[in-house]
Structures are given as structure tokens and as C-alpha cells.
Amino acid sequence: MTWISPIGESPGAALAAASAHAPYLAQLQSRVPEAWETIRSGDVDSAYRAALDKTSWQGDPDQVGPLLRRAKSEAHLAIAAADLSGVWPLEQVTAAITDFADAALDAALRSCCEKRRIDPGGLFLVALGKMGAHELNYSSDIDVVALYDPHVFTGGERGPADAASRILKDVVALMEARTEDGYIFRTDLRLRPDPSSTPLAVSTRMAESYYESIGQNWERMAWIKARACAGDKVAAQAFLNTMIPFVWRRHLDYWAIADIHAIKRMINANAGESISDEAPDVKLGPGGIREIEFFVQTQQVILGGRTSALRARGTLDALAGLTEAGVVEAQVADDLRQSYETLRHVEHRIQMRLDEQSHSVPKNSAERKALAALSGVNDENEFADQLAATRSLVHGHYQNLFAEEDRRHETSLGNLVFTGVDDDPGTVATLETLGFSNPQSVIGTIRRWHRGGTPATRTQRGRELLTAVLPELLHIIGETGEADAAFARFGRFFEGLSSGVQVLSMLLAETDILTDLVGTLAIAPSLAQTLSRRPDLLEGLVDGCDPADPVDVDSDFETAMDAARRRHRDLNFLIGHRLLHGRLAAREAAAEYSDLADETIRSMAAVACKETERRFGPAPGHWSVMALGRLGGRDMTAGSDLDIMVLYEPFDEISDAQTWFSRFTQRLITALSAPTAEGLLYEVDMRLRPSGRAGPVAVQLSAFDRYHREQAWTWEHMSLTRLRFVAGDAELGVRISQIAANVIVHAGRPSITRDVADMRARLFAEKPPKGSWDLKLAPGGTVDIEFIVQHELLTARDASLLRPHTGDAIEALQSNGYFSADETALLCETLANLNALQQVLRLAVDGVFDPDAAPKALNDRLARAIGVDEFERVESTLRREMASVAALREKKLHMQTTE
């Protein structure tokens, strides 16, 4: 039994008592005195029927608006009197409101058609939501869908589509226009198919196609209550018959049921509101009306396809059907029925006070006392306690629905509701708590995805998977500390997918991958672009397998080039992903990037050789591809160029070997650097060959030896310290390395220190650093370390110390007394930190890094890269170490620091 009590022995007495607490009702008494007199006489039913009769309009269509507005005032006064006095039960109260809405809407539609001189045959309105269920609240808006049968509704000269939309625009304007007599009903047409891109009235053909192809489970729940309410009822019923298979599916697969569970699960407690809140929202808050409705509707939509007795429109009728079918326990059903009646009564009394579409108990104490008085409760605290007990009972039963499923997807988040057309206030609050600055935009984007607005959600399975993954996705995005940016990047990734089922299934099953994905999108846009083009790369994160096959060197030149680019792109992504998420140390990443480059050079060199031989005959000698720079030192990053040199030794001096090997080298450069439909591989730099750009692209071994012994500059000898064989004839590669070592040991200039210092000063002048975060060129950066180490190797003149990797060379020099223990520690630690930071930055940043503008997630990742706990320590560590390296460079090269 509800604890809401009548406030008068008769409808007239109830209205008189309510006048002190409800300004709107007091206003109505003076606005429609005839109705008030009828009610005071005790005949509330006659007062309501008189108001309803006025909707049977005949005559001047321009008089329909004033007529209906006055009739609405009369109906409102009569309904309030019957409700407050307890003369009508809840079902009769809501039915009376709904019947008047039906009649008023039908009158408005007829009058608008008459004004435009258009036959309304084939044009109709379907009521959804509370209107469809005959459950309108006292100040409710009305949710309707306007449709027309294109085979029946002609629309006159304008045609059916244009005419129907114009008529509905007129209807809405008429229903919502406010005058001194009030308004008729706020009318909402947004539950039509895809309201953001469809006219106010849609054809039945378009609607059938929409619901058949991309209709969602929440829309099925909405259409449970569908009912013809105005216009051509015959055409309306024909359309509703076509909707039966959409609404009531006899067989639901796992994902459809999981989607419905997820819809229920998203209705959590409004952020900041609890059961004990003294000013709760009795509709949307915890234990509110919506929880009862969802308790019923979710079970209806799952079971109603097989059990026709569950297909009732009304909430209480459907609850009774669920009880009779043994789905809901009798005590639970009784608790929910009584609670529903109580909450609806409170909702009506909230709205009777000011005729506002509010569902919240007032925050003001005096207004709460007035609400309590309208509810027949004299004590404000007693009212609050009774309401809290009712809501607590409802919330307990609601939480028990699908409880096992909820435990599997437990979340501490608040509301995350993206169904319907209105932004859920609780969802807005939840998203704000997660760090989103514009929750409405996020809700709109997700709602568009749910409507099939991107290829990933054009299938029902894709939309259902999105519903399931959203809570965890948004939670993880919020944890990045850059919610707006992370969501925007996820959006670009998600909307770039050609299909969503595979990816969404993986993200739902593998939370770690979802976390990694969001982190990748937040930190490294370049990897995000790769992922959007190749979402299947995510599978490689699960099984660790190479996502692309090795290049078949026996395939034709263009095919091999494309295959190499596919493999390189996939493996490059996996290395970068592991590095980004701390699963690969910087030096290990450098080695893997270098291995990938070596493999690519070897396969492309083999393909280039085969193509050259096909066109110009067999190779007239042996050849080797040698690496220098970062490739030679195995210090490659995600965006490093390839510093390479091609050397050859002819079989004899008679053949024109130079021409053949030049052609071969040009094809190798093309294979490595030319763009194809599959993208790019590397930029190739061959300027470290003898004579640089002025020399031949392929260099004969004897010419290489002679040049470095007789003509090379000190900086060219420095580059040889990082020379390494990559591809071709390995024995020739050994001989090339021996020549380089001999040059370093025997052909060094007497002015090595001055040459190195001059070269460093010239580099400062010609390529000044682009700020303190230019980790390569800034004083104390990687170039300084390389200059220091290469200077020591040239002056040591000891071939046994040569190591392509700078870190290894430092240790070799220290073991032979060229660096002290402190100098070695400084160089090794600074080099390791600089390389670690560069590895991450090459993945995440195009151009100069600006820590103030960078995402917090990136700054945090940089801190982890060098093993410190906060980004501020990264900058202080760099300043200290780089200053010490710059000082060591001054000492070793006898030069002043160049700013």
C-alpha cells in the first residue's frame, strides 16, 4: 500500500487544500472557473469529459490552438483534483492524461492538414514511451514518431516527403506555442529513425529499412510501448504489424542478450546522489521510476519473443505478466508495483506545483514541505524517510536483476547511458568526473556510433559489442589524464576501421590490449594512424607472432617492394608498441629496429640484384652493403634514416663493373625508399661514401681504400668507426672492415683533436640546436658523446678498441685507460638516457618536443623511460648530465662550450 494519502475528502476539497502549496493549481482555478465550479460540485468526471469533448474540433482551424490550450487547463485541473483526492487510482490518472494528449494531437494534425488542404490519409503518429503505455505524467512531454505510407499519402503538389514534414512542423508549433492560456504539450519527435539526419516525418519504407538494418536494442525496448495515437489508424496499425519481428525476436543470440544486460548495467546511481539524498530525482536517481521500467523492459525484450503474454505496453501489466510467467517472484513484483505507484504519485505532485517537467524533490525546505503536504504527509522528515525507504527497496531489486552478469562487469563508474535522444544528466556528471570537458560532445559521438554512423557499427553485433566495451573504454580513457585528447584519437582510430566486430571483440576480451590501445592513441599518433589502417595488428599483441610473411626474394620487383613495406610496417608497429608500453628497453628496441633494417636491406638487396641481373646480365663481381651512422652502431629508432654504402670488387678489370653496380645500387635505393601503394620504408642517405654526392653511388674496393688513405677528411674517418657489414658478400664485408680499421690506425692526421673540435664548432654554427630538447644537437647531447668517443678512437690508433655501438666503444676505451671510471659512468648513463628518450620521442612526436604542450601520458612515459618517478626529474637529470658531458667535451677537444 502506498504511503501517499489524499489531501481532501472530495476533489473540490483536495483542490482547495492544494492551492496553498501549488501555485499552478491555484492559477488554473481562476483560469477555468467553469471547470472549477463543476469540480467543486463533486462531478470531477464530468469536468474531465467536458475538456476531452472540446478536442472533437470542427470548424475554423485557426481556433484549434486556443481551444486546445483551454481544454488542457480544464483537463489538468480535473485530473489533479481526482488524483489529490484519491478518487482516481494511478492507472486512471495517467490514462486520462494520455487520452487527452491523443485527442489533442489528433485534432492538431487534422487542423494542420486542413490548413494546407492536404488529405491526411496515410499520415499517422505513433506514441512511444509513457504516452504509448498510457502512462503520461502530469507535466509530461509526448514522444511520438511521425510516419507516412508513400503508397497512400500523396502530399498534394509538394509530394509526400516535403508535405509530411511541413505538416509535422506545423503540428509541433501548434502543440508547443505558449500564450496566456498556457500550452498544449511539448512534443518530441526525436525517437524517429536517426533523428540527426532524417526529416520530422519519415516514410514507412525508410523506417522499415532502418529498423531492419541498424535498429538497436534500446529502440526495441522503446517500441514495446508503440501505439497508434493520431492520424490514419489503419495505416499506423499496418506499420506496427511490420515492426513485430523487430521488437519481439523469437531467438536472441548471446551478444543481443549481453547488449541488453549492458544497457541495464549502465543505469547506475546518478553521480553525487544517494538513496538518502533529501532532494532526489524520483525518475532518474537510484531507486527511481526508470529502474522499475528498465527492470520490466529488459526482461520483456529478452523473453517476449517467445512468450506473447509479456508483450504488454503498460509497466504494471508487463510486471504482472512476468510474475504469472514465473520470471519475477510475487513479493518482488508486489514491492515494485507499490513503489511504482508511490513514485508516480510523488512525480505528479512535484509537477503540479509549477507545471514544470521536473522529477526532483525541491532542495528548498519550504518547497519540500509543500510537496509533503500535497502527498498527504504533514512532516517533511517523515516524507523524506518514506521516500528513501521506497527508493531503497526499488534499488535493491534492480541491482539483483542480472546480478551475476553485473558482477562480471563490475564498475565503480556512475551512469553511462547513450540510449535515447536526450543527454542523461547522470552520464554528463560521470563523464565530467572522468575528466571530459565537453561530455555532451562525447555523448553525441557515441550516440552517432550506436546509430551505425561509422563502418565499425553498421552491423548489429558491432553495436552490441560497442555497448559492452564502452564502460571500460571510457574509464581507461579517463585514467590517461587527457580524456578529451585520448577520446578524440580513439574516435579517429575507431572511425577509420572498415569493420568493428573483430576489433571490438578483442578489446572486450583482452582488457590489457584495450589499455594498451588507449595509451598508444594518447601518446603516439603515428602508431594510431598505423592501427587505424591495419587494426589486425592488434592480434599480434595477443599472440606475439609476426603479422606479415617474410619477403619472397624470387617474386618480381614491385611485388617484393610491396611485401617488404607491409612486413616492415607491421613489425615496426609491434616494436614501437612494446617500447611505448615499457615492455622493451631502449637498447633492445634499438637492436630490434636495427635488425628490422638489416633484414629489409638484405631482402631488398637480393631483389635489386635479381632485377639488375634480369635486365643487364650477371653481376660482374662481388658486392657488399655496409652500414654507418645509427644503423652501423645498431642505434636505430622508429624514424631513423639508413646510412649505407655499396662497395664492390670486380672479377676482372676488363668488364664495365661500375655501370652494372651503379644500376644495382640505384635499384636498391628505389627498393628501400620509393613510395608505393603500401607506403614507405626508409629515407636512404649515401653521403658518407667517398666523395659524397660527387662520387659514384657504388664504390670499388680499391678506390675506397685509396680514398681513405690519401684524401679522406678526419670526419670521414670518424664515420668509419661505426662501419658494419649488412648484406651481400660477407667475406668482402670483412675485408672492407679491415681496410677501415687500418685507415683509422695508420692514416690519421696529426691534427685530429683540432679537426674534431673545428668540426663540432662548425656543426654548432650550421645546425644550431632547436632548444634544450634537441637531444642530438644540444650541448651535451648525443653528437657531443659521439664526437668525444670517436676522437678517442682516432687518437688511440688501436683496432682492437673499435666497436660500432657507441656504448660498447666507451667501455672498451675505459678498459684501456682512455676514460676514467667517472667519465665512463657519465658517458654511458647520459647516452642511455638520451637514447631512451629519443626512442620514445621518435614514436610520439613529429618535430620539436614541447613538454608544456605534450600529453601528460607522454611526459609520464618519458619519466619511466629513464627510471624516474616524475617528469620534473627528467629535465633536471638531463640538465645535470648534459652539462657534464659538455664540460668533458671541452676537456677532451680543448674547446669552449658553444651555445
Side-chain angles (χ1 to χ4, degrees), residues 637-665:
T637 66
S640 294
D641 297 344
L642 297 183
D643 288 304
I644 59 174
M645 185 188 306
V646 176
L647 293 102
Y648 68 93
E649 185 175 40
F651 293 139
D652 55 60
E653 296 298 331
I654 300 173
S655 63
D656 185 11
Q658 181 65 60
T659 299
W660 193 97
F661 283 108
S662 293
R663 288 168 172 167
F664 158 70
T665 305

PDB file of all heavy atoms in Angstrom, residues 637-665:
ATOM      1  N   THR A 637      66.152   4.143 -34.482  1.00  0.00           N
ATOM      2  CA  THR A 637      64.885   4.467 -33.842  1.00  0.00           C
ATOM      3  C   THR A 637      63.764   4.283 -34.865  1.00  0.00           C
ATOM      4  O   THR A 637      64.003   3.892 -36.008  1.00  0.00           O
ATOM      5  CB  THR A 637      64.874   5.917 -33.335  1.00  0.00           C
ATOM      6  OG1 THR A 637      64.924   6.803 -34.462  1.00  0.00           O
ATOM      7  CG2 THR A 637      66.054   6.195 -32.418  1.00  0.00           C
ATOM      8  N   ALA A 638      62.542   4.618 -34.444  1.00  0.00           N
ATOM      9  CA  ALA A 638      61.394   4.407 -35.328  1.00  0.00           C
ATOM     10  C   ALA A 638      61.506   5.196 -36.625  1.00  0.00           C
ATOM     11  O   ALA A 638      61.038   4.761 -37.672  1.00  0.00           O
ATOM     12  CB  ALA A 638      60.111   4.786 -34.605  1.00  0.00           C
ATOM     13  N   GLY A 639      62.145   6.367 -36.593  1.00  0.00           N
ATOM     14  CA  GLY A 639      62.178   7.191 -37.791  1.00  0.00           C
ATOM     15  C   GLY A 639      63.549   7.406 -38.375  1.00  0.00           C
ATOM     16  O   GLY A 639      63.754   8.343 -39.155  1.00  0.00           O
ATOM     17  N   SER A 640      64.511   6.544 -38.017  1.00  0.00           N
ATOM     18  CA  SER A 640      65.884   6.755 -38.484  1.00  0.00           C
ATOM     19  C   SER A 640      66.023   6.532 -39.990  1.00  0.00           C
ATOM     20  O   SER A 640      65.361   5.678 -40.579  1.00  0.00           O
ATOM     21  CB  SER A 640      66.841   5.796 -37.771  1.00  0.00           C
ATOM     22  OG  SER A 640      66.925   6.094 -36.394  1.00  0.00           O
ATOM     23  N   ASP A 641      66.924   7.325 -40.596  1.00  0.00           N
ATOM     24  CA  ASP A 641      67.323   7.081 -41.983  1.00  0.00           C
ATOM     25  C   ASP A 641      68.295   5.903 -42.037  1.00  0.00           C
ATOM     26  O   ASP A 641      68.814   5.454 -41.002  1.00  0.00           O
ATOM     27  CB  ASP A 641      68.028   8.315 -42.559  1.00  0.00           C
ATOM     28  CG  ASP A 641      67.122   9.526 -42.615  1.00  0.00           C
ATOM     29  OD1 ASP A 641      65.900   9.355 -42.499  1.00  0.00           O
ATOM     30  OD2 ASP A 641      67.668  10.645 -42.761  1.00  0.00           O
ATOM     31  N   LEU A 642      68.548   5.460 -43.264  1.00  0.00           N
ATOM     32  CA  LEU A 642      69.562   4.416 -43.474  1.00  0.00           C
ATOM     33  C   LEU A 642      70.826   5.064 -44.038  1.00  0.00           C
ATOM     34  O   LEU A 642      70.811   5.587 -45.159  1.00  0.00           O
ATOM     35  CB  LEU A 642      69.052   3.356 -44.453  1.00  0.00           C
ATOM     36  CG  LEU A 642      67.832   2.541 -44.046  1.00  0.00           C
ATOM     37  CD1 LEU A 642      67.531   1.491 -45.122  1.00  0.00           C
ATOM     38  CD2 LEU A 642      68.028   1.862 -42.696  1.00  0.00           C
ATOM     39  N   ASP A 643      71.907   5.055 -43.258  1.00  0.00           N
ATOM     40  CA  ASP A 643      73.212   5.477 -43.774  1.00  0.00           C
ATOM     41  C   ASP A 643      73.916   4.226 -44.296  1.00  0.00           C
ATOM     42  O   ASP A 643      74.325   3.365 -43.501  1.00  0.00           O
ATOM     43  CB  ASP A 643      74.040   6.119 -42.657  1.00  0.00           C
ATOM     44  CG  ASP A 643      73.509   7.492 -42.274  1.00  0.00           C
ATOM     45  OD1 ASP A 643      73.413   8.343 -43.169  1.00  0.00           O
ATOM     46  OD2 ASP A 643      73.178   7.703 -41.091  1.00  0.00           O
ATOM     47  N   ILE A 644      74.008   4.106 -45.599  1.00  0.00           N
ATOM     48  CA  ILE A 644      74.609   2.901 -46.172  1.00  0.00           C
ATOM     49  C   ILE A 644      75.626   3.278 -47.251  1.00  0.00           C
ATOM     50  O   ILE A 644      75.649   4.406 -47.752  1.00  0.00           O
ATOM     51  CB  ILE A 644      73.554   1.946 -46.775  1.00  0.00           C
ATOM     52  CG1 ILE A 644      72.760   2.639 -47.881  1.00  0.00           C
ATOM     53  CG2 ILE A 644      72.639   1.401 -45.691  1.00  0.00           C
ATOM     54  CD1 ILE A 644      71.800   1.711 -48.626  1.00  0.00           C
ATOM     55  N   MET A 645      76.446   2.294 -47.581  1.00  0.00           N
ATOM     56  CA  MET A 645      77.456   2.442 -48.626  1.00  0.00           C
ATOM     57  C   MET A 645      77.522   1.111 -49.373  1.00  0.00           C
ATOM     58  O   MET A 645      77.516   0.048 -48.743  1.00  0.00           O
ATOM     59  CB  MET A 645      78.808   2.762 -47.971  1.00  0.00           C
ATOM     60  CG  MET A 645      79.938   3.056 -48.945  1.00  0.00           C
ATOM     61  SD  MET A 645      81.531   3.173 -48.052  1.00  0.00           S
ATOM     62  CE  MET A 645      81.143   4.394 -46.808  1.00  0.00           C
ATOM     63  N   VAL A 646      77.519   1.154 -50.697  1.00  0.00           N
ATOM     64  CA  VAL A 646      77.647  -0.064 -51.505  1.00  0.00           C
ATOM     65  C   VAL A 646      79.056  -0.111 -52.085  1.00  0.00           C
ATOM     66  O   VAL A 646      79.492   0.815 -52.779  1.00  0.00           O
ATOM     67  CB  VAL A 646      76.601  -0.095 -52.637  1.00  0.00           C
ATOM     68  CG1 VAL A 646      76.819  -1.324 -53.533  1.00  0.00           C
ATOM     69  CG2 VAL A 646      75.185  -0.096 -52.066  1.00  0.00           C
ATOM     70  N   LEU A 647      79.774  -1.209 -51.780  1.00  0.00           N
ATOM     71  CA  LEU A 647      81.123  -1.398 -52.315  1.00  0.00           C
ATOM     72  C   LEU A 647      81.153  -2.704 -53.107  1.00  0.00           C
ATOM     73  O   LEU A 647      80.396  -3.642 -52.805  1.00  0.00           O
ATOM     74  CB  LEU A 647      82.157  -1.444 -51.193  1.00  0.00           C
ATOM     75  CG  LEU A 647      82.335  -0.117 -50.436  1.00  0.00           C
ATOM     76  CD1 LEU A 647      81.609  -0.192 -49.108  1.00  0.00           C
ATOM     77  CD2 LEU A 647      83.801   0.182 -50.235  1.00  0.00           C
ATOM     78  N   TYR A 648      82.044  -2.738 -54.105  1.00  0.00           N
ATOM     79  CA  TYR A 648      82.118  -3.935 -54.927  1.00  0.00           C
ATOM     80  C   TYR A 648      83.577  -4.196 -55.307  1.00  0.00           C
ATOM     81  O   TYR A 648      84.432  -3.303 -55.270  1.00  0.00           O
ATOM     82  CB  TYR A 648      81.271  -3.788 -56.197  1.00  0.00           C
ATOM     83  CG  TYR A 648      81.810  -2.764 -57.177  1.00  0.00           C
ATOM     84  CD1 TYR A 648      82.678  -3.135 -58.216  1.00  0.00           C
ATOM     85  CD2 TYR A 648      81.452  -1.423 -57.076  1.00  0.00           C
ATOM     86  CE1 TYR A 648      83.178  -2.208 -59.109  1.00  0.00           C
ATOM     87  CE2 TYR A 648      81.933  -0.489 -57.972  1.00  0.00           C
ATOM     88  CZ  TYR A 648      82.809  -0.883 -58.988  1.00  0.00           C
ATOM     89  OH  TYR A 648      83.300   0.043 -59.870  1.00  0.00           O
ATOM     90  N   GLU A 649      83.822  -5.442 -55.662  1.00  0.00           N
ATOM     91  CA  GLU A 649      85.132  -5.833 -56.194  1.00  0.00           C
ATOM     92  C   GLU A 649      84.877  -6.615 -57.471  1.00  0.00           C
ATOM     93  O   GLU A 649      84.289  -7.703 -57.436  1.00  0.00           O
ATOM     94  CB  GLU A 649      85.907  -6.674 -55.195  1.00  0.00           C
ATOM     95  CG  GLU A 649      87.329  -6.990 -55.670  1.00  0.00           C
ATOM     96  CD  GLU A 649      88.124  -7.723 -54.610  1.00  0.00           C
ATOM     97  OE1 GLU A 649      87.544  -8.602 -53.930  1.00  0.00           O
ATOM     98  OE2 GLU A 649      89.327  -7.447 -54.474  1.00  0.00           O
ATOM     99  N   PRO A 650      85.305  -6.100 -58.652  1.00  0.00           N
ATOM    100  CA  PRO A 650      85.007  -6.781 -59.920  1.00  0.00           C
ATOM    101  C   PRO A 650      85.802  -8.068 -60.058  1.00  0.00           C
ATOM    102  O   PRO A 650      86.859  -8.240 -59.446  1.00  0.00           O
ATOM    103  CB  PRO A 650      85.398  -5.743 -60.966  1.00  0.00           C
ATOM    104  CG  PRO A 650      86.443  -4.911 -60.305  1.00  0.00           C
ATOM    105  CD  PRO A 650      86.055  -4.852 -58.854  1.00  0.00           C
ATOM    106  N   PHE A 651      85.281  -8.966 -60.863  1.00  0.00           N
ATOM    107  CA  PHE A 651      86.014 -10.216 -61.143  1.00  0.00           C
ATOM    108  C   PHE A 651      87.273  -9.919 -61.950  1.00  0.00           C
ATOM    109  O   PHE A 651      88.259 -10.637 -61.845  1.00  0.00           O
ATOM    110  CB  PHE A 651      85.117 -11.196 -61.914  1.00  0.00           C
ATOM    111  CG  PHE A 651      83.954 -11.695 -61.102  1.00  0.00           C
ATOM    112  CD1 PHE A 651      82.703 -11.830 -61.691  1.00  0.00           C
ATOM    113  CD2 PHE A 651      84.107 -12.045 -59.765  1.00  0.00           C
ATOM    114  CE1 PHE A 651      81.627 -12.313 -60.969  1.00  0.00           C
ATOM    115  CE2 PHE A 651      83.025 -12.519 -59.035  1.00  0.00           C
ATOM    116  CZ  PHE A 651      81.782 -12.649 -59.633  1.00  0.00           C
ATOM    117  N   ASP A 652      87.219  -8.894 -62.799  1.00  0.00           N
ATOM    118  CA  ASP A 652      88.387  -8.519 -63.592  1.00  0.00           C
ATOM    119  C   ASP A 652      88.287  -7.021 -63.887  1.00  0.00           C
ATOM    120  O   ASP A 652      87.267  -6.392 -63.635  1.00  0.00           O
ATOM    121  CB  ASP A 652      88.465  -9.334 -64.896  1.00  0.00           C
ATOM    122  CG  ASP A 652      87.209  -9.225 -65.727  1.00  0.00           C
ATOM    123  OD1 ASP A 652      86.857  -8.091 -66.127  1.00  0.00           O
ATOM    124  OD2 ASP A 652      86.568 -10.261 -65.983  1.00  0.00           O
ATOM    125  N   GLU A 653      89.339  -6.476 -64.404  1.00  0.00           N
ATOM    126  CA  GLU A 653      89.375  -5.036 -64.670  1.00  0.00           C
ATOM    127  C   GLU A 653      88.900  -4.703 -66.083  1.00  0.00           C
ATOM    128  O   GLU A 653      88.916  -3.546 -66.482  1.00  0.00           O
ATOM    129  CB  GLU A 653      90.805  -4.515 -64.487  1.00  0.00           C
ATOM    130  CG  GLU A 653      91.326  -4.633 -63.063  1.00  0.00           C
ATOM    131  CD  GLU A 653      90.514  -3.825 -62.070  1.00  0.00           C
ATOM    132  OE1 GLU A 653      89.928  -2.787 -62.476  1.00  0.00           O
ATOM    133  OE2 GLU A 653      90.408  -4.239 -60.896  1.00  0.00           O
ATOM    134  N   ILE A 654      88.504  -5.737 -66.823  1.00  0.00           N
ATOM    135  CA  ILE A 654      88.109  -5.514 -68.220  1.00  0.00           C
ATOM    136  C   ILE A 654      86.640  -5.104 -68.308  1.00  0.00           C
ATOM    137  O   ILE A 654      86.268  -4.214 -69.062  1.00  0.00           O
ATOM    138  CB  ILE A 654      88.373  -6.787 -69.070  1.00  0.00           C
ATOM    139  CG1 ILE A 654      89.866  -7.137 -69.021  1.00  0.00           C
ATOM    140  CG2 ILE A 654      87.889  -6.590 -70.509  1.00  0.00           C
ATOM    141  CD1 ILE A 654      90.184  -8.458 -69.683  1.00  0.00           C
ATOM    142  N   SER A 655      85.791  -5.770 -67.517  1.00  0.00           N
ATOM    143  CA  SER A 655      84.351  -5.522 -67.597  1.00  0.00           C
ATOM    144  C   SER A 655      84.005  -4.124 -67.070  1.00  0.00           C
ATOM    145  O   SER A 655      84.754  -3.537 -66.293  1.00  0.00           O
ATOM    146  CB  SER A 655      83.597  -6.577 -66.787  1.00  0.00           C
ATOM    147  OG  SER A 655      83.961  -6.475 -65.417  1.00  0.00           O
ATOM    148  N   ASP A 656      82.852  -3.626 -67.540  1.00  0.00           N
ATOM    149  CA  ASP A 656      82.361  -2.324 -67.069  1.00  0.00           C
ATOM    150  C   ASP A 656      81.538  -2.531 -65.800  1.00  0.00           C
ATOM    151  O   ASP A 656      80.316  -2.334 -65.774  1.00  0.00           O
ATOM    152  CB  ASP A 656      81.518  -1.667 -68.165  1.00  0.00           C
ATOM    153  CG  ASP A 656      81.088  -0.266 -67.774  1.00  0.00           C
ATOM    154  OD1 ASP A 656      81.610   0.260 -66.764  1.00  0.00           O
ATOM    155  OD2 ASP A 656      80.209   0.295 -68.456  1.00  0.00           O
ATOM    156  N   ALA A 657      82.250  -2.941 -64.739  1.00  0.00           N
ATOM    157  CA  ALA A 657      81.564  -3.252 -63.486  1.00  0.00           C
ATOM    158  C   ALA A 657      80.882  -2.020 -62.890  1.00  0.00           C
ATOM    159  O   ALA A 657      79.826  -2.120 -62.256  1.00  0.00           O
ATOM    160  CB  ALA A 657      82.555  -3.859 -62.494  1.00  0.00           C
ATOM    161  N   GLN A 658      81.505  -0.858 -63.075  1.00  0.00           N
ATOM    162  CA  GLN A 658      80.948   0.354 -62.457  1.00  0.00           C
ATOM    163  C   GLN A 658      79.504   0.595 -62.907  1.00  0.00           C
ATOM    164  O   GLN A 658      78.627   0.921 -62.096  1.00  0.00           O
ATOM    165  CB  GLN A 658      81.812   1.558 -62.808  1.00  0.00           C
ATOM    166  CG  GLN A 658      81.327   2.872 -62.195  1.00  0.00           C
ATOM    167  CD  GLN A 658      81.406   2.856 -60.678  1.00  0.00           C
ATOM    168  OE1 GLN A 658      82.486   2.681 -60.126  1.00  0.00           O
ATOM    169  NE2 GLN A 658      80.268   3.001 -60.011  1.00  0.00           N
ATOM    170  N   THR A 659      79.238   0.423 -64.180  1.00  0.00           N
ATOM    171  CA  THR A 659      77.885   0.663 -64.698  1.00  0.00           C
ATOM    172  C   THR A 659      76.889  -0.317 -64.086  1.00  0.00           C
ATOM    173  O   THR A 659      75.803   0.071 -63.639  1.00  0.00           O
ATOM    174  CB  THR A 659      77.873   0.530 -66.233  1.00  0.00           C
ATOM    175  OG1 THR A 659      78.766   1.505 -66.788  1.00  0.00           O
ATOM    176  CG2 THR A 659      76.475   0.740 -66.777  1.00  0.00           C
ATOM    177  N   TRP A 660      77.274  -1.593 -64.053  1.00  0.00           N
ATOM    178  CA  TRP A 660      76.343  -2.607 -63.508  1.00  0.00           C
ATOM    179  C   TRP A 660      76.050  -2.322 -62.040  1.00  0.00           C
ATOM    180  O   TRP A 660      74.880  -2.325 -61.617  1.00  0.00           O
ATOM    181  CB  TRP A 660      76.953  -4.000 -63.674  1.00  0.00           C
ATOM    182  CG  TRP A 660      75.945  -5.111 -63.444  1.00  0.00           C
ATOM    183  CD1 TRP A 660      75.251  -5.780 -64.399  1.00  0.00           C
ATOM    184  CD2 TRP A 660      75.520  -5.641 -62.175  1.00  0.00           C
ATOM    185  NE1 TRP A 660      74.424  -6.718 -63.813  1.00  0.00           N
ATOM    186  CE2 TRP A 660      74.564  -6.654 -62.451  1.00  0.00           C
ATOM    187  CE3 TRP A 660      75.855  -5.380 -60.860  1.00  0.00           C
ATOM    188  CZ2 TRP A 660      73.948  -7.385 -61.447  1.00  0.00           C
ATOM    189  CZ3 TRP A 660      75.222  -6.099 -59.829  1.00  0.00           C
ATOM    190  CH2 TRP A 660      74.288  -7.094 -60.134  1.00  0.00           C
ATOM    191  N   PHE A 661      77.078  -2.051 -61.238  1.00  0.00           N
ATOM    192  CA  PHE A 661      76.862  -1.862 -59.802  1.00  0.00           C
ATOM    193  C   PHE A 661      76.177  -0.519 -59.500  1.00  0.00           C
ATOM    194  O   PHE A 661      75.476  -0.387 -58.505  1.00  0.00           O
ATOM    195  CB  PHE A 661      78.180  -1.995 -59.036  1.00  0.00           C
ATOM    196  CG  PHE A 661      78.614  -3.431 -58.869  1.00  0.00           C
ATOM    197  CD1 PHE A 661      79.688  -3.944 -59.589  1.00  0.00           C
ATOM    198  CD2 PHE A 661      77.905  -4.277 -58.034  1.00  0.00           C
ATOM    199  CE1 PHE A 661      80.062  -5.271 -59.446  1.00  0.00           C
ATOM    200  CE2 PHE A 661      78.278  -5.609 -57.895  1.00  0.00           C
ATOM    201  CZ  PHE A 661      79.360  -6.113 -58.598  1.00  0.00           C
ATOM    202  N   SER A 662      76.355   0.466 -60.376  1.00  0.00           N
ATOM    203  CA  SER A 662      75.595   1.704 -60.217  1.00  0.00           C
ATOM    204  C   SER A 662      74.108   1.442 -60.440  1.00  0.00           C
ATOM    205  O   SER A 662      73.245   1.953 -59.705  1.00  0.00           O
ATOM    206  CB  SER A 662      76.088   2.769 -61.192  1.00  0.00           C
ATOM    207  OG  SER A 662      77.403   3.173 -60.866  1.00  0.00           O
ATOM    208  N   ARG A 663      73.814   0.631 -61.483  1.00  0.00           N
ATOM    209  CA  ARG A 663      72.418   0.280 -61.733  1.00  0.00           C
ATOM    210  C   ARG A 663      71.837  -0.524 -60.562  1.00  0.00           C
ATOM    211  O   ARG A 663      70.692  -0.306 -60.147  1.00  0.00           O
ATOM    212  CB  ARG A 663      72.314  -0.519 -63.029  1.00  0.00           C
ATOM    213  CG  ARG A 663      72.551   0.334 -64.279  1.00  0.00           C
ATOM    214  CD  ARG A 663      72.735  -0.523 -65.510  1.00  0.00           C
ATOM    215  NE  ARG A 663      72.773   0.279 -66.736  1.00  0.00           N
ATOM    216  CZ  ARG A 663      73.172  -0.183 -67.907  1.00  0.00           C
ATOM    217  NH1 ARG A 663      73.583  -1.460 -68.024  1.00  0.00           N
ATOM    218  NH2 ARG A 663      73.169   0.610 -68.963  1.00  0.00           N
ATOM    219  N   PHE A 664      72.614  -1.442 -60.073  1.00  0.00           N
ATOM    220  CA  PHE A 664      72.172  -2.241 -58.923  1.00  0.00           C
ATOM    221  C   PHE A 664      71.892  -1.332 -57.720  1.00  0.00           C
ATOM    222  O   PHE A 664      70.864  -1.455 -57.038  1.00  0.00           O
ATOM    223  CB  PHE A 664      73.242  -3.285 -58.575  1.00  0.00           C
ATOM    224  CG  PHE A 664      73.159  -3.790 -57.156  1.00  0.00           C
ATOM    225  CD1 PHE A 664      72.115  -4.607 -56.752  1.00  0.00           C
ATOM    226  CD2 PHE A 664      74.129  -3.451 -56.219  1.00  0.00           C
ATOM    227  CE1 PHE A 664      72.035  -5.065 -55.434  1.00  0.00           C
ATOM    228  CE2 PHE A 664      74.063  -3.908 -54.919  1.00  0.00           C
ATOM    229  CZ  PHE A 664      73.015  -4.718 -54.516  1.00  0.00           C
ATOM    230  N   THR A 665      72.782  -0.398 -57.440  1.00  0.00           N
ATOM    231  CA  THR A 665      72.624   0.481 -56.276  1.00  0.00           C
ATOM    232  C   THR A 665      71.412   1.380 -56.430  1.00  0.00           C
ATOM    233  O   THR A 665      70.668   1.610 -55.463  1.00  0.00           O
ATOM    234  CB  THR A 665      73.896   1.331 -56.073  1.00  0.00           C
ATOM    235  OG1 THR A 665      75.034   0.461 -55.976  1.00  0.00           O
ATOM    236  CG2 THR A 665      73.790   2.185 -54.822  1.00  0.00           C
TER     237      THR A 665
END
